[in-house]
Amino acid sequence: MTPPAKVPVTILTGFLGSGKTTLLNRILSEEHGKRIAVIENEYGEVGIDQALVINADEEIFEMSNGCICCTVRGDLIRVLGNLMKRRDKFDYVLVETTGLADPGPVAQTFFMDDEIRAEFALDGIVTLVDAGHIEQQLGRSDESTEQIAFADVLVLNKTDLADHDRLDQLEARLRDMNRMARVVRSEKANIPIETVLNLSAFDLDSMLERRPSFLEPEYPFEWTGTYTLQPGRYALRLAEGPDPEMSLVAVANQGSSDTELREGAEWCVRRYAEEAEALLPDADLPIDKHINLQLQASGHKSFFLQVDAPMQLGLFAQHTAEEFDIQLLNTADDAVVPVQAERTWVAQHEHDDEVGSFAIERDGDVDSDKINAWLGKLLRESGVDIFRMKGFISLAGEANRFVFQGVHMLFDGQPERPWGDEVRRSQLVFIGRNLDEASIRQGFDECLV
Amino acid sequence: MSDQTARGALRPGWSAIVDDYAIAGDWALNGALLVVGDAAGSVFGFEGTSGTIRWQKRALHSSGLLAMAMHPDGDRFATAGQDGQVHICGADDGAVRHTIDLGRGWVEHLAWSSDGNQLAAAMSRRVYVSDASGTLLWQSDDHPSTVSALAWSGAEQLATACYGRVSFFEATSGELAQKLEWKGSLVSLILSPDGDIVACGSQDNSVHFWRRSTGEDSMMHGYPGKPSNLSFDQSGSLLATGGGKTVTVWNFAGSGPEGTRPGELEMHVQPITALSFAHQGRRIASGGRDGGVVAWSLQSGGNGVAIGAAFVGELIGGLAWRPDDRCLAAFDASGGVTVWRIHRQ
């Protein structure tokens, strides 16, 4: 007996006025040949030809154990349970929540209830954001924050209500809160149906295709350049730039391959964690130390480096070379030393919101017993603050990728396609409130084989 | 579709197919007829011995059937659906005798009082009670949530379950007689034959029960799933519960079931979806998501052995023993209706 394919479910959230009904109308009126059942809580005017629309009063059922992660939507369990009995089953289910809904219980319903779980799969959560009003809403309610944190797709709607710069800022803030979500902009919820249906929220690969940098760690420096230096005396010259000071670590013997640059970056993160030593212009640049170049004076400033034996110099700078027109000159002839390799990093920045997200990416296998124990403990202890997580794991001894997603302390995973020739690695994304990123990273690393 | 190679006590009888998921069914006319309703809203009357269709009513409920209840006399039955209607039909010809229109909503549960004089129907947060000819007698106020189950205590009181509460209403006046409260989503409800024990399956994978005579309540934890299916034997001493692949049987005789080990009946490979004690004795039938049907013979303590098993291939939506317990009918998700003769060893 092969298990029947589960019916995918999209959850549509967003504050009142964010455009949910407009989007719903668009989806339902588009020619897509799918049989869609819509379960809605707000009595909107939805014109339907090919879909079934069911109004269900939101019934939030808490459990006697008091755990918020076990809270489910009783009305959904009932309605979906009955829907699934029809032979002309639906290809798709869309659940619209009320504007003030906490998305947790809706999403949890698809993990918690064994009967629902057997028939349906949460495909994704789409949150509509009113570009003109979201900033006020974020300040006022936990629900709007959580709706953003839970989303797989954030539709930044009503873009006509904000200017371009403001939209960019808004998008950056949303991305901060939820790195996992794809952000799309729209004026009148006029987004293609593929944006909200069949998201395959499990699928991190498609997300990486869209945003290759989303799993990259953030670093306290933005730029790295490497130089091949012969013995001599060199000047690091900076023009005036955007900041009166800049942190820097100069590394001896820095390789230029991407792997070596990454290794160097990891090493420099620890240097950056040490207290910086202020360095005035014309001073000598110490190697392997966190220094803070004092750039208050006007005009060009230089710092010097004495090289006694050939070396590969790496500079890890808080700002890009471009911003300060950073140049390395040989003092013998004032010739510019060419950069051998350079790259920029995703810069760390202040996170204003309590809600944030981060990703872990590691090559190699993890021990399945260890990761089970670690995840179990993590979800038990921090499940309330972990809104969502998803990713894939390379389990030692397993031929297939293990994909998973979770909502609060609920976890759902399954073996997926075989690894084949692909490099075995793991990727995990966490979104939550006040998450202890460092300890979660460390916990995961301890599970590596 | 159906595999007729039954073993043991389950001997092949007949099988048939209805139009859609067979949601509910029961024996009528002293076992001469089997009435089956499907999700599309059609109802069929099959000759009990041959499976020949005596009558069929297509699209009795336009947008789908949700519940069916056989009258205790077996001469009529009630159906309810997504169209907000309840029909009372004659068993001999399937014709609608009376219709109750409750308005816009899904009528999800039906139950006849033991004397057959009253019919309770649950729609959304209310329960509606009518007489046997469909005249509405009373309706409840709004419950705290949608009513999830109904059960009669004889002909005197009607019990309803919803989130956080079991309510008892006086049969004639509709007055609220008793509330048993407990914070949890109650998904199933059953009363012992004497009406003293009230058992509910809960969304949090437990069974909660109360004894009305003493006011005591208890909770049985540890189910892997939610116990949607409950069945009492006719003596009221054994309560069989689903909530996983195992049928868990609690023994209420003596001081139990608190502090006792339940009987555990293991054969299904997927969760239980239907449970039904026979009308006499300690035989019980179980059906699963795996499409298996097992007949068990229990000891007084609740443990037991499988006396027959069959595989019909699709999730078992319901089971019904013929009034004389000589036949067992199963209704499945693909619309299959399978009847076995019970072989007496």
Side-chain angles (χ1 to χ4, degrees), chain B residues 6-32:
Chain B
R7 294 192 287 120
L10 298 181
R11 299 296 168 88
W14 54 267
S15 62
I17 296 275
V18 293
D19 292 346
D20 205 327
Y21 193 124
I23 283 190
D26 208 346
W27 297 86
L29 308 176
N30 292 316

Side-chain angles (χ1 to χ4, degrees), chain B residues 126-149:
Chain B
R126 293 190 180 199
V127 62
Y128 301 81
V129 173
S130 59
D131 66 16
S133 57
T135 305
L136 200 60
L137 302 174
W138 56 269
Q139 68 183 70
S140 72
D141 291 334
D142 272 351
H143 284 64
S145 80
T146 299
V147 175
S148 55

Side-chain angles (χ1 to χ4, degrees), chain A residues 1 43 52 54-55 57-66 70 72 74-75 77-80 82-89 112-116 118-119, chain B residues 18-21 23 39-40 63-64 66 82 104 106 108 125 145-146 163 182-185 203-205 219 224-226 228 270 289-290 311 313 315 334-335:
Chain A
M1 223 173 21
Y43 290 72
L52 174 69
I54 299 153
N55 283 299
D57 283 336
E58 196 165 80
E59 293 185 335
I60 298 189
F61 291 169
E62 291 168 21
M63 299 297 128
S64 54
N65 60 13
C70 297
V72 293
D75 56 317
I77 295 174
R78 262 185 332 105
V79 169
L80 291 173
N82 281 320
L83 273 186
M84 278 320 287
K85 292 183 177 170
R86 295 297 296 267
R87 183 164 291 164
D88 50 342
K89 287 184 171 119
M112 277 299 289
D113 188 277
D114 40 334
E115 291 168 16
I116 296 299
E119 308 269 7
Chain B
V18 293
D19 292 346
D20 205 327
Y21 193 124
I23 283 190
S63 39
L66 292 169
Q82 297 184 12
R104 188 164 170 260
W106 289 12
E108 292 184 76
R125 300 186 181 211
S145 80
T146 299
Y163 177 70
W182 184 71
K183 188 179 175 184
S185 172
Q203 180 76 41
D204 62 5
N205 302 347
M219 192 163 124
K226 63 179 173 183
S228 302
Q270 286 188 49
R289 179 171 278 278
D290 51 20
F311 177 63
L315 184 153
S334 66

Side-chain angles (χ1 to χ4, degrees), chain B residues 25 83 90 106 132 151 185 225 231 235 272 296 308 330:
Chain B
D83 53 6
W106 289 12
S185 172
S231 183
S235 73
I272 302 299
W296 310 83

Side-chain angles (χ1 to χ4, degrees), chain A residues 84-353:
Chain A
M84 278 320 287
K85 292 183 177 170
R86 295 297 296 267
R87 183 164 291 164
D88 50 342
K89 287 184 171 119
F90 296 94
D91 302 314
Y92 218 95
V93 175
L94 258 168
V95 180
E96 180 194 9
T97 70
T98 58
L100 278 169
D102 168 1
V106 192
Q108 284 156 203
T109 301
F110 297 92
F111 292 81
M112 277 299 289
D113 188 277
D114 40 334
E115 291 168 16
I116 296 299
R117 193 176 163 150
E119 308 269 7
F120 298 91
L122 177 58
D123 183 56
I125 301 175
V126 176
T127 299
L128 271 93
V129 173
D130 174 346
H133 296 98
I134 184 66
E135 280 173 302
Q136 287 158 277
Q137 289 159 355
L138 282 175
R140 276 206 306 263
S141 85
D142 283 350
E143 287 86 0
S144 60
T145 309
E146 288 180 13
Q147 288 179 358
I148 285 165
F150 270 93
D152 296 292
V153 173
L154 286 164
V155 180
L156 189 51
N157 193 30
K158 303 196 176 178
T159 49
D160 48 322
L161 298 184
D163 64 39
H164 195 75
D165 285 353
R166 199 125 155 267
L167 286 174
D168 284 349
Q169 283 168 17
L170 200 51
E171 184 169 331
R173 182 170 179 194
L174 298 179
R175 283 195 195 284
D176 244 16
M177 293 167 71
N178 182 344
R179 288 160 68 101
M180 187 172 82
R182 173 181 183 189
V183 182
V184 291
R185 296 183 185 189
S186 69
E187 210 167 282
K188 295 193 176 89
N190 49 343
I191 50 170
I193 188 167
E194 310 82 65
T195 319
V196 291
L197 299 189
N198 283 321
L199 299 174
S200 303
F202 267 137
D203 191 0
L204 271 184
D205 289 348
S206 64
M207 189 155 49
L208 283 170
E209 267 169 41
R210 294 193 300 267
R211 288 175 48 208
S213 71
F214 109 107
L215 278 170
E216 289 217 335
E218 292 179 359
Y219 288 111
F221 35 84
E222 267 189 79
W223 178 82
T224 295
T226 63
Y227 304 83
T228 304
L229 301 182
Q230 299 306 317
R233 189 162 175 81
Y234 295 86
L236 180 71
R237 196 174 69 177
L238 295 92
E240 286 180 24
D243 214 344
E245 53 181 39
M246 179 175 85
S247 272
L248 178 87
V249 174
V251 181
N253 303 318
Q254 173 60 51
S256 294
S257 73
D258 194 59
T259 309
E260 287 167 319
L261 287 172
R262 281 170 188 276
E263 284 167 3
E266 290 295 327
W267 186 81
C268 273
V269 167
R270 292 192 285 276
R271 299 288 82 71
Y272 262 81
E274 293 160 5
E275 204 177 331
E277 180 190 322
L279 199 70
L280 290 166
D282 301 324
D284 268 24
L285 209 56
I287 292 290
D288 295 349
K289 279 220 166 86
H290 183 199
I291 53 173
N292 191 260
L293 307 179
Q294 302 298 302
L295 308 170
Q296 296 87 347
S298 56
H300 281 91
K301 274 90 40 185
S302 292
F303 301 84
F304 293 93
L305 184 68
Q306 183 64 40
V307 177
D308 298 326
M311 72 179 289
Q312 291 282 330
L313 176 71
L315 296 176
F316 288 82
Q318 191 188 346
H319 294 286
T320 60
E322 202 178 21
E323 285 174 281
F324 284 91
D325 191 22
I326 296 175
Q327 288 190 322
L328 195 65
L329 307 169
N330 190 331
T331 55
D333 53 7
D334 263 0
V336 175
V337 182
V339 179
Q340 184 162 357
E342 67 180 327
R343 68 162 289 172
T344 53
W345 309 96
V346 178
Q348 242 164 26
H349 47 285
E350 290 296 311
H351 297 274
D352 301 330
D353 296 291

